[in-house]
């Protein structure tokens, strides 16, 4: 059963059966999605704008985080390096740069980034503990067991920290005594 169209209303069914196209009164802007522009093009435009401003003084750091989250490690690393040079969250930028190197399997570069991060100013104690713990993992990965153990001892003596440190130290000592390391 066909419903009646209210006075002054629009009958879509009737409009669809007409041969001539309907005129649109207002112009429409084409959205980015309709143009088929991908993430790469959007980031390219943002990168061209690319300097920190009053609107976003952490531009390069934030771009690095965005690139990293999307899996663009090379671009993320470039942005984190720029962020460090520009003084945009140096500890965090160096830490993220270290994670990017880690994800690429570049242990020495990751280690260097975390060592540099620990040299940044005004780092909250909990972030220092986390960075040191990650650094101990990198030392382990590179076979620098004494350095790894030293950091784990340091973390354990800081009073608060990562709960598994005493167990990890015991595991290290046991492995070293049985020459598994």
């Amino acid at each position: 059963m066909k419903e009646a169209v209210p006075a002054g209303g629009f009958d879509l069914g009737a409009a669809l059966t007409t041969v001539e196209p309907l005129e649109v009164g207002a112009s429409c802007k084409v959205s980015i999605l309709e143009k088929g522009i991908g993430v790469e093009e959007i980031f390219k435009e943002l990168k061209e704008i690319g300097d920190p401003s009053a609107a976003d003084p952490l531009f390069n750091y934030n771009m690095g985080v965005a690139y990293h989250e999307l899996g663009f490690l090379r671009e993320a690393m470039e942005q984190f390096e720029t962020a460090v040079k520009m003084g945009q969250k140096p500890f965090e930028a160096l830490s993220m740069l270290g994670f990017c190197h880690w994800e690429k399997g570049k242990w020495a570069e990751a280690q260097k980034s975390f060592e540099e991060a620990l040299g940044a100013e005004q780092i909250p104690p909990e972030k220092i503990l986390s960075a040191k713990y990650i650094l101990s993992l990198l030392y382990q990965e590179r076979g620098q067991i004494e350095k790894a153990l030293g950091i784990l001892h340091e973390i354990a003596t800081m009073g608060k920290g990562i709960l598994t440190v005493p167990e990890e130290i015991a595991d290290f000592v046991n492995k070293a005594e049985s020459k598994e390391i």
Side-chain angles (χ1 to χ4, degrees):
M1 182 169 134
K2 189 174 180 180
E3 294 184 28
V5 177
F10 178 76
D11 185 355
L12 179 60
L16 290 174
T17 60
T18 63
V19 180
E20 296 178 36
L22 296 174
E23 290 187 36
V24 178
S27 64
C28 297
K29 290 185 178 180
V30 177
S31 75
I32 290 174
L33 293 176
E34 290 170 340
K35 287 183 186 177
I37 294 178
V39 172
E40 292 88 2
E41 288 85 7
I42 294 169
F43 276 127
K44 182 181 175 194
E45 282 188 39
L46 286 171
K47 195 173 181 182
E48 287 171 4
I49 295 169
D51 292 324
S53 65
D56 188 4
L58 302 174
F59 178 82
N60 301 101
Y61 174 76
N62 291 331
M63 284 292 291
V65 171
Y67 275 129
H68 182 260
E69 287 178 4
L70 292 170
F72 298 113
L73 294 181
R74 183 180 51 78
E75 293 85 352
M77 292 167 74
E78 289 173 7
Q79 291 298 316
F80 290 131
E81 287 168 357
T82 302
V84 171
K85 289 176 189 167
M86 304 284 284
Q88 302 170 19
K89 297 179 111 175
F91 172 81
E92 290 83 356
L94 283 163
S95 296
M96 289 301 297
L97 185 58
F99 283 122
C100 289
H101 285 300
W102 186 324
E103 289 176 47
K104 293 182 97 172
K106 297 182 176 183
W107 311 120
E109 292 88 345
Q111 178 180 322
K112 182 178 180 232
S113 292
F114 279 101
E115 288 170 345
E116 288 179 25
L118 286 167
E121 295 179 10
Q122 300 178 349
I123 310 167
E126 64 277 0
K127 288 186 178 183
I128 291 173
L129 287 172
S130 296
K132 285 186 178 211
Y133 183 73
I134 292 164
L135 193 54
S136 77
L137 296 175
L138 287 164
Y139 285 141
Q140 291 175 45
E141 189 66 41
R142 298 195 62 217
Q144 298 173 326
I145 304 307
E146 300 230 355
K147 283 185 176 183
L149 264 173
I151 289 178
L152 290 174
H153 277 292
E154 189 179 328
I155 292 169
T157 59
M158 291 176 94
K160 56 183 177 178
I162 300 164
L163 297 175
T164 63
V165 170
E167 292 85 15
E168 288 185 42
I169 292 171
D171 287 345
F172 260 157
V173 171
N174 290 336
K175 286 179 184 178
E177 288 174 355
S178 65
K179 300 191 188 234
E180 290 180 20
I181 296 180

